[in-house]
Amino acid sequence: MRITKKPVERREEIVQAARELFSVNGFVKTTVNDIAQKIGIAKGLFYYYFKNKDEVMTAVIGDYLSHAAQKVRRIVKEESDYLGRLSELVFTIIDLSSDAETVFAELKSADRYMFHQSILEHAYQQLHDSLADMVNQGLEQGLIRCAHPLLTAEILFYGFGMTDFTHMEKEQIIQVVKEALCIPE
């Protein structure tokens, strides 16, 4: 018996299956047929929603960044202790970067480099306003005292996405952030 779903549900199902397969098999080794088989649809139905595998990867990235941006906005808007939220924000960005690495690792290769760069740029655009709000809150509370706080936060954001922190304790990472933003002890 054929199962029909609303277009939005079917599209989301395809994106979720693609994300799971990309994280297990990698983007290059995952085929459109693999995605279709995972959810039990005809390969042609995949092409009704997406032109090709690159387009579904773009949707996977879009979903991922949208969820990341929601999480970051929630942290920034909380009414709790600023330094606690800053710490949570830092580790959220590090965790998101680590999670993304498993799904999008292959995109760093030479032939996919521009695609990877566009992901970083899109991530930055999604998170820029939240980062700016967080920095401005620290400035208003007199906690951040560096000469170029937003630029420093942007540099930290990019650094979190490209640095392996597995060799550092959480307290050390927070100390680096505090020193970069000139937050007193």
Side-chain angles (χ1 to χ4, degrees):
M1 184 167 120
R2 202 173 127 188
I3 300 172
T4 56
K5 294 185 177 183
K6 293 179 182 177
V8 172
E9 290 174 16
R10 182 64 74 188
R11 185 180 190 286
E12 178 57 34
E13 183 180 43
I14 293 169
V15 170
Q16 187 59 37
R19 180 182 175 152
E20 290 171 17
L21 289 169
F22 293 158
S23 67
V24 172
N25 304 328
F27 177 77
V28 173
K29 291 181 182 173
T30 300
T31 66
V32 168
N33 198 46
D34 294 336
I35 297 167
Q37 284 182 346
K38 181 163 179 65
I39 55 176
I41 62 170
K43 189 174 172 180
L45 188 56
F46 172 93
Y47 289 111
Y48 176 79
Y49 292 95
F50 299 98
K51 292 178 187 173
N52 53 41
K53 194 168 64 164
D54 282 353
E55 194 172 280
V56 77
M57 176 55 104
T58 300
V60 168
I61 292 165
D63 273 8
Y64 181 81
L65 293 176
S66 176
H67 291 297
Q70 286 175 355
K71 193 171 189 177
V72 167
R73 279 193 298 272
R74 179 194 54 77
I75 294 167
V76 172
K77 289 182 180 182
E78 285 178 2
E79 296 292 325
S80 61
D81 167 62
Y82 180 81
L83 294 177
R85 287 184 301 122
L86 181 62
S87 177
E88 184 180 0
L89 179 64
V90 166
F91 292 111
T92 296
I93 291 172
I94 291 170
D95 290 346
L96 292 170
S97 296
S98 177
D99 291 346
E101 187 63 29
T102 37
V103 178
F104 311 129
E106 291 177 46
L107 300 181
K108 287 184 176 180
S109 67
D111 63 330
R112 311 294 286 168
Y113 180 76
M114 293 307 293
F115 195 45
H116 183 260
Q117 285 305 109
S118 71
I119 293 168
L120 286 176
E121 184 59 32
H122 189 67
Y124 173 71
Q125 289 170 355
Q126 288 268 332
L127 301 177
H128 177 270
D129 291 344
S130 294
L131 287 173
D133 287 349
M134 193 71 177
V135 167
N136 287 331
Q137 289 173 26
L139 289 168
E140 289 168 8
Q141 293 177 25
L143 296 172
I144 294 177
R145 296 190 178 131
C146 64
H148 305 284
L150 187 55
L151 179 61
T152 303
E154 291 170 358
I155 291 168
L156 288 172
F157 166 78
Y158 278 111
F160 294 145
M162 295 181 203
T163 304
D164 177 11
F165 288 101
T166 56
H167 65 284
M168 292 178 76
E169 297 292 324
K170 286 188 171 195
E171 295 79 22
Q172 293 172 305
I173 296 168
I174 293 303
Q175 189 60 36
V176 168
V177 172
K178 285 181 177 180
E179 289 171 2
L181 295 172
C182 300
I183 297 174
E185 288 299 317

